[in-house]
Amino acid sequence: MKIEGRDGQVHNVEVPDEVTLCMAELRQVMHDPKKGTWYIAEVSLKRDGLALEMTFDYDSEPAWTAIRPKREAYEDDHAKYPRPIEILPAWHPVSPKFID
């Protein structure tokens, strides 16, 4: 998680467990069998705490900061949040367009 300080500098901080759980639940309730669920969510909270902005990306591969998940993790995710095979992004290992 990135936090922008008052000085404009961006700092990486660990995501609290509560936030991780809430985002997992949100991903689940937003799942639509016709389009799947999002792979990337961006949440912005303004400094005054009064404005929350969220965007969701259903197509792009997450930019992993650590090791990219194994193929099995993507397969498990697709089983949990299925979408029609023809609309899977080409980067997704379950996609027929995927090239390893």
Side-chain angles (χ1 to χ4, degrees), residues 40 55 60 80 99:
I40 300 170
T55 59
S60 300
K80 189 173 183 178
I99 299 173

Side-chain angles (χ1 to χ4, degrees), residues 20 23 46 68 86 96:
T20 301
M23 294 305 289
K46 301 298 180 191
R68 184 177 191 263
E86 62 273 5

Side-chain angles (χ1 to χ4, degrees), residues 1 8 10 12 20 29 43 45 52-53 60 63 68 70 79 87 96:
M1 179 164 72
V10 176
N12 288 320
T20 301
V29 298
V43 180
L45 179 63
L52 179 69
E53 185 177 301
S60 300
R68 184 177 191 263
K70 293 183 179 184
I87 66 166

